[in-house]
């Protein structure tokens, strides 16, 4: 299987097409999860950092938001083991796990103007669950006598098109007469 995957990957790369990629079975599983719109974990999007993982956003009704994690917080350890210097893929894999299981995150909030220093660390024990990523969100704004429907597409998933249409229809019923797609 290693030889087959390597051969296929080499053939696809030889196409010299930035839009053509080969996924081995493990990568394909990760990709399928990424576009499914849900995953099992604690409910946050993170960015890689030399100190660990930086929280970008926490999702509504998630264990991460319930525990008080905020954008900018830095996760330095998972279950007592440092994740400093690990790739985000490896570090995130340590945070994810089966629904109903617990994970302990060691978190510090940056202090100072440049956020390079971290405050005191705290341990948060979270219970993993299935997280549905909010793919599309719609809001109605009134501006200069107009009703502006704003639909935000948060991520591309298998159902993103349907969810955008649902938000547009909802805002039409509320009287939207102009649109912004973010």
């Amino acid at each position: 299987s290693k030889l087959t995957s390597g051969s296929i990957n080499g053939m696809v790369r030889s196409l010299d097409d930035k839009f053509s990629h080969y996924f081995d079975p493990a990568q394909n599983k990760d990709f399928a999860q990424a576009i499914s719109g849900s995953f099992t974990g604690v409910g946050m999007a993170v960015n890689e950092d030399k100190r660990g993982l930086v929280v970008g956003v926490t999702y509504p009704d998630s264990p991460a938001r319930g525990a008080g994690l905020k954008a900018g917080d830095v996760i330095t350890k998972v279950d007592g083991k440092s994740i400093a210097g690990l790739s985000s893929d490896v570090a995130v894999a340590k945070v994810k796990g089966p629904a109903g299981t617990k994970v302990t995150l060691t978190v510090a909030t940056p202090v100072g103007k440049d956020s390079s220093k971290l405050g005191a660390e705290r341990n948060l024990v979270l219970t993993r669950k299935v997280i549905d990523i909010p793919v599309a969100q719609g809001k109605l704004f009134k501006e200069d006598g107009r009703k502006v429907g704003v639909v935000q597409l948060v991520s591309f998933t298998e159902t993103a098109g349907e969810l955008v249409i649902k938000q547009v229809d909802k805002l039409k019923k509320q009287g939207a007469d102009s649109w912004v797609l973010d």
Side-chain angles (χ1 to χ4, degrees):
S1 68
K2 191 174 182 180
L3 181 60
T4 301
S5 286
S7 298
I8 295 170
N9 192 34
M11 287 185 270
V12 172
R13 276 190 303 187
S14 73
L15 295 173
D16 226 10
D17 177 7
K18 65 181 179 179
F19 299 109
S20 296
H21 303 280
Y22 169 71
F23 294 148
D24 64 32
Q27 292 168 324
N28 191 52
K29 181 180 174 189
D30 290 343
F31 178 73
Q33 181 181 353
I35 65 167
S36 73
S38 69
F39 64 94
T40 303
V42 297
M44 61 187 173
V46 295
N47 298 303
E48 190 173 312
D49 185 276
K50 65 183 179 187
R51 302 168 293 184
L53 294 171
V54 176
V55 177
V57 66
T58 58
Y59 298 124
D61 302 318
S62 68
R65 186 168 289 177
L69 279 167
K70 303 235 182 293
D73 283 347
V74 179
I75 301 166
T76 59
K77 296 177 187 171
V78 177
D79 289 330
K81 295 181 181 155
S82 175
I83 57 170
L86 295 180
S87 73
S88 60
D89 292 339
V90 172
V92 166
K94 293 178 181 295
V95 176
K96 290 182 177 179
T101 60
K102 294 192 181 303
V103 62
T104 301
L105 303 180
T106 302
V107 180
T109 300
V111 294
K113 289 185 180 183
D114 64 358
S115 299
S116 63
K117 294 182 182 177
L118 297 177
E121 290 186 333
R122 61 193 186 278
N123 288 321
L124 303 173
V125 179
L126 292 84
T127 303
R128 298 172 177 113
K129 71 177 207 175
V130 175
I131 306 293
D132 292 317
I133 301 168
V135 175
Q137 300 170 355
K139 290 184 182 174
L140 187 68
F141 294 91
K142 293 180 182 175
E143 187 71 34
D144 294 330
R146 299 193 64 126
K147 291 184 178 180
V148 181
V150 177
V151 177
Q152 183 182 31
L153 178 62
V154 178
S155 63
F156 291 99
T157 65
E158 292 173 330
T159 60
E162 298 166 30
L163 296 171
V164 167
I165 290 169
K166 193 179 206 181
Q167 292 300 317
V168 167
D169 289 344
K170 177 184 88 171
L171 294 171
K172 272 184 188 177
K173 288 177 184 170
Q174 294 176 15
D177 56 20
S178 56
W179 299 93
V180 174
L181 176 61
D182 180 6

